Amino acid sequence: MAWDIPFAELRSLLGERFLTTQAARAEHSRDESHFTPVLPDAVAWPESTAEVSAIVKICAAHGCPVVPWGVGSSLEGHVLAVKGGVTLNMNRMNRVLAVHAEDMDVVVQPGCTREALNTELRATGLFFPIDPGANASLGGMAATRASGTTAVRYGTMKDNILALEVVLSDGRVIRTGSRAKKSSTGYDLTRLFIGSEGTLGIITELTLKLHGQPEAVSSAVVDFPDIGSAISAVITTIQAAIPMARIEFVDETAIRAFNAYEKTTYPERPHLFLEFHGSPSGVAEQAELAGEIMTAMGGSDFRHAATTEARNQLWKMRHNALFAAKSTKPGCIVLTTDVCVPISRLAEAVLETRADIDASPLTGPMVGHVGDGNFHCCLLLDPDDPRDKEAALDLAHRMAERALRLGGTVSGEHGVGMGKKKYLEEEHGAAWEVMGLIKQALDPQNLMNPGKLVKEG
Amino acid sequence: MAWDIPFAELRSLLGERFLTTQAARAEHSRDESHFTPVLPDAVAWPESTAEVSAIVKICAAHGCPVVPWGVGSSLEGHVLAVKGGVTLNMNRMNRVLAVHAEDMDVVVQPGCTREALNTELRATGLFFPIDPGANASLGGMAATRASGTTAVRYGTMKDNILALEVVLSDGRVIRTGSRAKKSSTGYDLTRLFIGSEGTLGIITELTLKLHGQPEAVSSAVVDFPDIGSAISAVITTIQAAIPMARIEFVDETAIRAFNAYEKTTYPERPHLFLEFHGSPSGVAEQAELAGEIMTAMGGSDFRHAATTEARNQLWKMRHNALFAAKSTKPGCIVLTTDVCVPISRLAEAVLETRADIDASPLTGPMVGHVGDGNFHCCLLLDPDDPRDKEAALDLAHRMAERALRLGGTVSGEHGVGMGKKKYLEEEHGAAWEVMGLIKQALDPQNLMNPGKLVKEG
Ligand SMILES: Cc1cc2nc3c(=O)[nH]c(=O)nc-3n(C[C@H](O)[C@H](O)[C@H](O)COP(=O)(O)OP(=O)(O)OC[C@H]3O[C@@H](n4cnc5c(N)ncnc54)[C@H](O)[C@@H]3O)c2cc1C
Ligand SMILES: Cc1cc2nc3c(=O)[nH]c(=O)nc-3n(C[C@H](O)[C@H](O)[C@H](O)COP(=O)(O)OP(=O)(O)OC[C@H]3O[C@@H](n4cnc5c(N)ncnc54)[C@H](O)[C@@H]3O)c2cc1C
């Protein structure tokens, strides 16, 4: 289809907030994935829903693709403008619009980051729990159905959004959901847009559920003689229904990377990083129960992160896993995998993966939100060595196939982007065609982040 | 559009499990709502997904509507075959197909009821928490996005379904989701079918999340001098983040009905019925905290339901609210309302509603899952007195408008059916049109429970 970029119209709408410079385009040509950058034709910085709607209307009239952009921290090439067009950087729509402390909800613009939101909320005694390692935008997190270390307790983005405002492919603005905690009035459009990766519309406002800051918090680390016993401890803990706030697996290779990057001295063995939330006595009870399980499975005594600082340090370290990994191989790029399996199959999945990486020429620290059956490895590769890339893609492919074989999914939280699209037919079968029907119904011109998620028409 | 019932083909497919008798049709002409019965042209009892698919294919070839049917306990006329066609009674597909205790999930057929499932699960130490008062089918519960007394703790159907198998309007069978606890691979079709009320396809299998039976359970009732203080106690309890398993409001009129129907002697004042789940010490702690709040708000001391029997008795009584209400006015029919508002607006919503009913000629006990901001009143009307019906519809209308004015929804859990369709445009605005686009994409012939949920094309 022939189309053009409506340069003049967008410039007259946005002035300096519409750029076609090489620098602006290059800055929006990649995310944190290994994919070769692709430059959009232009970048726009809208400041309001009305402007987003106006931009989309102009683009639609010219058949020009639109790619929304949060902070570009995604890991599968989601934001690459593979069909060209205009990238919409949402970072000027970053306000917290209303805090309803009494209802434990908050209305935010999509460019607001999770850290900025939690800073703003600090005085209220409430917080927003979802924490992908990166300081992602809440719009991007919704669009990727993100989760992170706390999902085992608080759920994912799908569980923590009450309502959305969305600009559709024809510029129409809709609101999905309300501030009521539940509703049975029609199709769940809120959940439909969550995880749609910019392919169905642009999220311009989110109403998020908040949670009370727990009265007591306690964190601990525990190490194990081998991966098998660490994972068994996780499975038993989850099956015992201990309401873990966090239960993260960090393998030996990752620990080595942490020790080097963060100057820590953790024993170079598989670890679990744990956190408990609740009342002081509840937290003590949970920690005791979990401790008993860990010990029975061969774990060391808990080493507690006693102070708030020590705790923040611990989770900052965990969130920097990718960068710690990278630092072990200067100049490398990272291919991050992200599978999720039923918890009963987790030991198999992790052990086979570890063996697979060990048998390859690559280094690949493994970390995981294992309470949900979700884990990653960070495969380090030399960008100039095609054999590295091939080996990494091969490992990633076997991980994806393994996850499907074990009844799981090829992405627990990072999403589809460029990297996982090739598995959607296998994972979803005919349901993938249904996704295509929905895309066609909502974006008949295929303008919203085209080339992603659904089968090409 | 011209269409016909493929009598011969369906009879040859299903034999005795395809009926066109007046009795079978009449039995499937109504649910538990006040709507005038509408007879389907025929009733079919499929026994497998393959049969459902075959029936739908046959019907699609003849342009014949298909209306799925669980146990017909819905309250808004959902199952009425308003365009005629074949009703599919799912009660022969009622097996529990697989219990995965280690993953805390279960695979069931849609005709399995929630009570049958929990009976089957008893030995596993696991349970499925969602409890609409009726012993509904799990397919019907998914299709209406049902919830109930425990949603405040365990969420609604949308939070407790991992995966679905669905027969689409052309007979294609799809699977949505997997047994992994989370996934970011594409549009959330699972949530799209939850709450779709049979208008997008027929659910033929569900994979449900299970929860561990709590180690300790304790229930209590507490009464208040007036509605305002009872609701204030609820709001404070929720805001204090006490993890209530149940917190149910029962007004004075409902208590009077219970006392008459169940031969109980509760003080005729507004009540809260409470339940706590957790470890023994956790439950004790929660009950103490909640008790302090209730007392501060003017509540009586807790009267505990000490034994399992007493507890079951309490919740059975609560679940029989509709029948208790009915028994106070022999021969009456009931119009049940179902609004949900942000918790901060709950007192206003309940008090204005109570005043409104009191000013009307009708009796209307009020009960509610108030921890979620959701409440009902059971308006009792003489079916032969048109003024009663008019008064009830008028009250229900004002309740719906009030809910929308307070930022809520016209249905917290019962769904749209016939009764709430007229509010969807006001509640959802342009988003309702998007629902129409999705319906059209998935059911272009408008064969799946036609006349419901979306705007008529
Ligand atoms: C170190 C590191 C650790 C990570 N750990 C985790 C983790 O634990 N869990 C996890 O889930 N993810 C993790 N991620 C991945 C990433 O942070 C998440 O996917 C995040 O949700 C992306 O948000 P973003 O703002 O960067 O979105 P972007 O990367 O800018 O965009 C992501 C997708 O969302 C779309 N999008 C963005 N904004 C909007 C909008 N307003 N409306 C519609 N579509 C929009 C884009 O078009 C794109 O398709 C990690 C990333 C890094 C670099
Ligand atoms: C006394 C009483 C108390 C109640 N309390 C509550 C409550 O607390 N919370 C609550 O949420 N509800 C409550 N309800 C309403 C009702 O029980 C729920 O809506 C329930 O989910 C309906 O299930 P069902 O099996 O009866 O479905 P049905 O009434 O048979 O059908 C309901 C809808 O689902 C569709 N459907 C049924 N099966 C399928 C399938 N397999 N695939 C696709 N679509 C299907 C039907 O076409 C129809 O549109 C109550 C009802 C009564 C009578």
Side-chain angles (χ1 to χ4, degrees):
Chain A
M1 202 184 89
W3 58 270
D4 63 294
I5 313 275
F7 291 107
E9 284 171 73
L10 291 174
R11 193 162 293 126
S12 97
L13 178 72
L14 300 167
E16 308 261 289
R17 293 184 282 107
F18 178 73
L19 291 181
T20 52
T21 59
Q22 180 69 16
R25 293 167 60 206
E27 224 178 276
H28 294 83
S29 67
R30 50 163 313 188
D31 52 17
E32 296 288 334
S33 68
H34 63 91
F35 290 98
T36 311
V38 182
L39 274 65
D41 293 294
V43 184
W45 281 264
E47 287 186 339
S48 67
T49 301
E51 271 190 3
V52 173
S53 169
I55 295 168
V56 170
K57 277 186 186 147
I58 291 169
C59 287
H62 292 258
C64 168
V66 176
V67 182
W69 173 283
V71 307
S73 72
S74 45
L75 293 168
E76 293 288 357
H78 297 64
V79 291
L80 271 56
V82 290
K83 310 265 174 182
V86 179
T87 288
L88 252 59
N89 184 321
M90 304 302 285
N91 72 7
R92 285 173 165 259
M93 290 179 66
N94 66 351
R95 276 181 307 144
V96 175
L97 298 173
V99 181
H100 302 113
E102 68 292 5
D103 290 313
M104 298 172 78
D105 71 54
V106 64
V107 184
V108 299
Q109 290 187 311
C112 178
T113 65
R114 64 177 186 88
E115 289 181 6
L117 173 60
N118 279 322
T119 302
E120 180 112 0
L121 290 173
R122 204 169 285 158
T124 63
L126 300 168
F127 79 118
F128 185 71
I130 319 284
D131 69 333
N135 185 21
S137 75
L138 291 156
M141 288 167 62
T144 57
R145 204 183 294 124
S147 50
T149 63
T150 58
V152 63
R153 171 70 167 263
Y154 298 98
T156 75
M157 286 304 277
K158 95 170 156 21
D159 306 301
N160 287 282
I161 299 185
L162 287 168
L164 294 173
E165 181 187 77
V166 180
V167 173
L168 300 178
S169 66
D170 60 1
R172 253 186 311 171
V173 182
I174 62 165
R175 303 194 70 91
T176 72
S178 74
R179 289 181 51 242
K181 261 193 74 185
K182 61 182 194 181
S183 171
S184 282
T185 57
Y187 306 152
D188 189 343
L189 298 183
T190 305
R191 250 50 57 182
L192 183 64
F193 286 101
I194 296 170
S196 64
E197 302 188 359
T199 64
L200 295 179
I202 298 163
I203 298 167
T204 48
E205 197 182 290
L206 306 90
T207 304
L208 305 172
K209 276 194 210 172
L210 299 176
H211 297 260
Q213 284 169 15
E215 207 191 331
V217 176
S218 117
S219 299
V221 296
V222 49
D223 58 85
F224 289 85
D226 51 54
I227 292 180
S229 45
I231 299 297
S232 299
V234 172
I235 297 175
T236 313
T237 305
I238 295 300
Q239 288 170 354
I242 300 173
M244 302 302 300
R246 287 167 154 156
I247 181 163
E248 292 287 307
F249 171 66
V250 180
D251 86 345
E252 199 174 321
T253 315
I255 288 287
R256 251 197 302 277
F258 284 152
N259 282 345
Y261 188 70
E262 310 266 0
K263 317 263 174 286
T264 48
T265 56
Y266 290 97
E268 294 187 351
R269 310 209 300 170
H271 273 66
L272 296 178
F273 289 11
L274 311 170
E275 193 162 278
F276 307 95
H277 291 179
S279 65
S281 61
V283 159
E285 189 178 54
Q286 292 169 38
E288 195 186 315
L289 283 171
E292 281 167 18
I293 291 171
M294 305 282 155
T295 310
M297 300 289 164
S300 67
D301 280 347
F302 280 3
R303 296 190 299 284
H304 288 279
T307 62
T308 307
E309 291 67 47
R311 213 163 53 230
N312 291 344
Q313 182 71 32
L314 180 70
W315 296 112
K316 193 171 151 238
M317 178 168 93
R318 167 63 190 87
H319 281 147
N320 282 337
L322 187 66
F323 305 107
K326 252 182 162 161
S327 75
T328 64
K329 184 166 172 166
C332 75
I333 59 170
V334 181
L335 189 156
T336 311
T337 70
D338 170 40
V339 295
C340 187
V341 297
I343 192 114
S344 65
R345 315 308 295 273
L346 183 61
E348 260 167 286
V350 172
L351 286 168
E352 287 183 25
T353 303
R354 185 68 267 168
D356 217 9
I357 302 172
D358 290 345
S360 85
L362 300 179
T363 315
M366 289 172 73
V367 292
H369 315 308
V370 280
D372 293 319
N374 180 208
F375 65 95
H376 313 296
C377 41
C378 305
L379 300 170
L380 308 179
L381 45 136
D382 177 345
D384 300 325
D385 186 342
R387 285 165 310 173
D388 264 22
K389 181 120 178 199
E390 199 184 312
L393 287 172
D394 196 45
L395 280 169
H397 178 68
R398 283 206 299 283
M399 263 172 247
E401 294 290 341
R402 184 176 299 125
L404 294 177
R405 176 167 50 79
L406 297 174
T409 171
V410 299
S411 175
E413 54 180 25
H414 293 166
V416 180
M418 312 283 296
K420 296 293 168 61
K421 195 172 158 183
K422 58 178 168 294
Y423 300 108
L424 292 200
E425 182 141 33
E426 190 178 347
E427 178 162 335
H428 296 297
W432 194 37
E433 292 161 30
V434 173
M435 295 185 201
L437 292 175
I438 291 171
K439 165 77 173 178
Q440 218 175 351
L442 268 64
D443 180 19
Q445 281 187 274
N446 191 23
L447 299 180
M448 311 307 287
N449 202 1
K452 311 288 170 58
L453 213 145
V454 295
K455 194 183 273 186
E456 226 54 54
Chain B
M1 202 182 89
W3 57 271
D4 63 294
I5 313 277
F7 291 107
E9 285 171 73
L10 290 174
R11 193 163 291 125
S12 96
L13 178 72
L14 300 167
E16 308 261 286
R17 294 185 281 107
F18 178 74
L19 291 181
T20 53
T21 59
Q22 180 69 16
R25 293 168 60 208
E27 226 178 276
H28 294 83
S29 68
R30 50 160 315 184
D31 52 18
E32 296 287 336
S33 68
H34 63 91
F35 290 98
T36 310
V38 182
L39 274 65
D41 293 294
V43 184
W45 281 265
E47 288 186 338
S48 66
T49 300
E51 271 189 4
V52 173
S53 168
I55 295 169
V56 170
K57 276 184 187 149
I58 292 169
C59 287
H62 291 258
C64 168
V66 176
V67 182
W69 173 282
V71 307
S73 72
S74 45
L75 293 168
E76 293 289 358
H78 298 64
V79 291
L80 272 57
V82 290
K83 310 265 172 178
V86 179
T87 288
L88 251 60
N89 185 321
M90 305 302 286
N91 72 7
R92 284 172 167 261
M93 291 179 66
N94 65 351
R95 278 181 307 144
V96 175
L97 298 173
V99 181
H100 302 115
E102 68 291 5
D103 290 314
M104 299 173 77
D105 71 55
V106 64
V107 184
V108 299
Q109 290 187 312
C112 177
T113 65
R114 64 177 186 88
E115 288 181 7
L117 173 61
N118 279 322
T119 303
E120 179 113 0
L121 290 174
R122 204 170 286 157
T124 63
L126 300 168
F127 79 118
F128 185 71
I130 319 284
D131 68 334
N135 185 20
S137 75
L138 291 156
M141 288 167 63
T144 57
R145 204 183 294 125
S147 50
T149 64
T150 59
V152 63
R153 171 70 166 262
Y154 298 98
T156 74
M157 287 303 277
K158 96 171 154 24
D159 306 301
N160 288 282
I161 299 185
L162 287 168
L164 294 173
E165 180 187 78
V166 180
V167 173
L168 300 179
S169 66
D170 59 1
R172 254 187 310 171
V173 182
I174 63 164
R175 302 194 70 91
T176 73
S178 74
R179 288 181 52 242
K181 260 193 72 184
K182 61 182 194 181
S183 172
S184 283
T185 58
Y187 306 153
D188 189 344
L189 298 183
T190 305
R191 249 53 54 183
L192 183 64
F193 286 101
I194 296 170
S196 64
E197 301 188 0
T199 64
L200 295 179
I202 298 164
I203 298 166
T204 48
E205 197 182 289
L206 307 90
T207 304
L208 305 172
K209 275 193 210 172
L210 300 176
H211 297 261
Q213 285 168 13
E215 207 191 331
V217 176
S218 120
S219 298
V221 296
V222 49
D223 60 84
F224 289 85
D226 52 56
I227 292 181
S229 46
I231 299 298
S232 299
V234 172
I235 296 175
T236 312
T237 306
I238 295 300
Q239 287 170 353
I242 301 173
M244 302 302 301
R246 286 166 154 157
I247 181 162
E248 292 286 307
F249 171 67
V250 180
D251 86 345
E252 198 174 323
T253 315
I255 289 286
R256 252 197 303 277
F258 284 153
N259 281 343
Y261 188 71
E262 311 266 0
K263 315 264 172 287
T264 47
T265 56
Y266 290 96
E268 294 187 352
R269 309 210 302 169
H271 274 65
L272 296 178
F273 289 11
L274 310 171
E275 192 162 277
F276 308 95
H277 291 180
S279 66
S281 61
V283 159
E285 189 177 54
Q286 291 169 37
E288 194 186 315
L289 283 171
E292 281 167 18
I293 292 171
M294 305 282 156
T295 310
M297 300 288 165
S300 67
D301 280 347
F302 279 5
R303 296 189 300 284
H304 287 278
T307 62
T308 307
E309 290 68 48
R311 214 164 50 231
N312 290 345
Q313 182 71 33
L314 181 70
W315 296 113
K316 191 168 154 243
M317 176 167 95
R318 166 65 189 85
H319 281 147
N320 282 337
L322 187 65
F323 306 107
K326 252 181 161 160
S327 75
T328 64
K329 183 167 174 167
C332 75
I333 59 169
V334 181
L335 189 155
T336 311
T337 69
D338 169 40
V339 295
C340 187
V341 297
I343 192 114
S344 64
R345 315 306 295 272
L346 183 61
E348 261 168 285
V350 172
L351 287 168
E352 286 182 25
T353 303
R354 187 68 267 170
D356 217 9
I357 302 172
D358 290 345
S360 84
L362 299 179
T363 315
M366 289 172 75
V367 292
H369 315 308
V370 280
D372 293 319
N374 180 209
F375 65 94
H376 312 297
C377 41
C378 305
L379 300 170
L380 309 179
L381 45 136
D382 177 345
D384 300 324
D385 185 342
R387 284 167 311 175
D388 265 21
K389 181 121 177 198
E390 199 182 313
L393 287 173
D394 196 45
L395 280 169
H397 178 67
R398 281 207 300 282
M399 263 173 248
E401 294 289 342
R402 184 177 299 124
L404 293 178
R405 177 167 49 79
L406 297 175
T409 171
V410 300
S411 174
E413 55 181 22
H414 294 166
V416 180
M418 312 283 295
K420 295 292 168 59
K421 195 170 158 184
K422 58 179 168 291
Y423 300 108
L424 291 200
E425 181 141 32
E426 189 178 347
E427 178 163 335
H428 296 296
W432 194 37
E433 292 161 31
V434 173
M435 296 185 200
L437 292 176
I438 292 171
K439 166 76 172 177
Q440 218 176 349
L442 268 65
D443 180 18
Q445 281 187 273
N446 192 23
L447 299 179
M448 311 306 287
N449 201 1
K452 311 287 170 59
L453 212 146
V454 295
K455 194 183 272 187
E456 226 55 55

